[in-house]
């Protein structure tokens, strides 16, 4: 049996990139995975079902919509007779622009998905965990190294991710009495859809700043999430772990 054998894991942003890699690794480690995305999550889940077993589930939910998140968590509790004891908040977007050119909408959209979405999922799952008396849970929030360093063109995104780190620490303090751990992961530059659109010359400049000398892969972040989800990390809460090859130190 894997290190997450029989545990119920909710993963947002599951259709691609880091979220998809988390779903695959958690499934391999024996978890029952509920993958949440904007509508196209069925692909990753059906491939999990084929390769592992039938138990996984995919749901189309916009994490920035309170009602959708609340209903999702209620339905999961009904279907599985328990709330998920592992959550990975991975849904995220960028809307890059220099600050003086950034629209109010570009600012709000990023805060809504990255920060409010993380709040809503964490809040509704934590409420059910407390109610159901599940006392061994791990919530993992995907922030970013730019939440610490800042980044040109990302006033919205970097602020949302600094917010995610701070939210994670406050939630950890509130939930530690229930043995619900909350930690943030700060990826550096990971090769996914999100970073694919960045121009080649900028990518090369970033690469030159990475101490380990190469970009990260979604699986690099997924392995850190597995550590934080498993009992290996049972004494870690309110932490912010950088997975950046040394970028942003
Ligand atoms: P990605 O674009 O492949 O994944 C993001 C996923 O979130 C997509 O599947 C998308 O459909 C989903 N999503 C977007 N808005 C949503 C919403 N409102 N509700 C539900 N799902 C929604 O990119 P990724 O790189 O895998 O990003 C995953 C997370 O990692 C994000 O939070 C991102 O900010 C963070 N991150 C990525 C990098 C990187 O270099 N790629 C670095 C630091 C942090």
């Amino acid at each position: 049996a894997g290190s997450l054998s029989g545990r119920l894991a909710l993963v947002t942003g599951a259709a691609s990139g880091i979220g998809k890699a988390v779903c695959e690794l958690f499934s391999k480690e024996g978890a029952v995975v509920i993958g949440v995305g904007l509508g196209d999550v069925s692909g990753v889940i059906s491939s999990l079902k084929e390769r592992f077993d039938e138990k996984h589930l995919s749901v189309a939910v916009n994490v920035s919509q309170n009602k959708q998140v609340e209903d999702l968590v209620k339905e999961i509790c009904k279907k599985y007779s328990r709330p998920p004891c592992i959550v990975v908040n991975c849904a995220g977007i960028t809307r890059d622009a220099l600050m003086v050119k950034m629209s109010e909408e570009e600012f709000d959209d990023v805060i809504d998905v990255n920060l409010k979405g993380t709040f809503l999922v964490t809040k509704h799952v934590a409420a059910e965990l407390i109610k159901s008396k599940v006392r061994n849970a791990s919530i993992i929030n995907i922030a970013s190294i730019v939440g610490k360093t800042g980044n040109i063109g990302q006033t919205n995104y970097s602020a949302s991710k600094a917010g995610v780190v701070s939210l994670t620490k406050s939630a950890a303090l509130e939930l530690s009495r229930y043995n619900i751990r909350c930690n943030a992961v700060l990826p550096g530059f990971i090769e996914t859809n999100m970073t694919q659109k960045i121009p080649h010359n900028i990518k090369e400049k970033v690469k030159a700043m990475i101490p380990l000398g190469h970009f990260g892969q979604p699986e690099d972040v997924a392995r850190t999430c597995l550590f934080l989800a498993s009992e290996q990390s049972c004494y870690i809460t309110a932490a912010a772990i950088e997975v950046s090859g040394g970028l942003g130190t």
Side-chain angles (χ1 to χ4, degrees):
S3 59
L4 302 182
S5 186
R7 298 184 75 194
L8 190 57
L10 176 64
V11 181
T12 73
S16 58
I18 295 167
K20 183 177 171 189
V22 168
C23 287
E24 289 179 349
L25 184 57
F26 282 18
S27 167
K28 217 180 278 178
E29 288 295 325
V32 177
V33 176
I34 303 157
V36 172
L38 278 180
D40 52 353
V41 199
S42 54
V44 57
I45 297 296
S46 57
S47 89
L48 290 181
K49 285 183 174 173
E50 261 168 45
R51 283 184 293 151
F52 300 100
D53 48 48
E54 277 295 318
K55 63 196 175 188
H56 307 293
L57 187 73
S58 70
V59 198
V61 162
N62 183 337
V63 295
S64 67
Q65 301 294 317
N66 182 53
K67 179 83 169 69
Q68 288 187 32
V69 175
E70 192 176 8
D71 289 350
L72 167 73
V73 174
K74 278 198 186 124
E75 275 167 37
I76 292 170
C77 292
K78 214 189 279 170
K79 182 173 164 63
Y80 296 92
S81 312
R82 61 195 153 121
C85 62
I86 299 168
V87 177
V88 184
N89 280 301
C90 205
I93 58 169
T94 53
R95 295 281 184 272
D96 295 356
L98 291 176
M99 182 176 66
V100 295
K101 292 187 174 163
M102 186 178 288
S103 68
E104 184 180 6
E105 194 185 5
E106 284 167 332
F107 187 84
D108 286 347
D109 284 353
V110 169
I111 299 291
D112 269 2
V113 176
N114 299 8
L115 183 55
K116 192 169 89 174
T118 299
F119 164 73
L120 291 173
V121 174
T122 304
K123 170 192 153 143
H124 288 297
V125 173
E128 290 295 337
L129 284 168
I130 293 168
K131 227 187 344 182
S132 71
K133 301 200 162 38
V134 170
R135 289 296 178 267
N136 180 16
S138 176
I139 297 170
I140 300 151
N141 295 330
I142 306 301
S144 168
I145 202 74
V146 306
K148 181 180 138 184
T149 61
N151 194 22
I152 290 172
Q154 294 197 313
T155 48
N156 51 1
Y157 183 82
S158 63
S160 76
K161 295 301 192 178
V164 166
V165 173
S166 186
L167 179 153
T168 304
K169 291 183 181 185
S170 296
L173 296 177
E174 291 187 14
L175 299 174
S176 54
R177 74 182 66 180
Y178 307 107
N179 197 27
I180 301 169
R181 300 183 292 110
C182 287
N183 293 290
V185 175
L186 282 64
F189 193 112
I190 312 298
E191 288 186 298
T192 68
N193 292 343
M194 187 173 274
T195 47
Q196 205 180 12
K197 54 198 171 192
I198 296 170
H200 181 72
N201 60 324
I202 296 181
K203 275 194 194 170
E204 288 305 304
K205 274 188 199 157
V206 176
K207 197 192 272 181
M209 296 191 310
I210 302 173
L212 284 182
H214 58 88
F215 298 134
Q217 297 304 314
E219 294 73 21
D220 296 325
V221 183
R223 282 193 301 276
T224 304
C225 293
L226 173 61
F227 168 68
L228 289 171
S230 77
E231 287 310 292
Q232 299 290 327
S233 61
C234 64
Y235 199 56
I236 300 179
T237 196
I241 299 182
E242 297 177 12
V243 184
S244 69
L247 181 68
T249 305

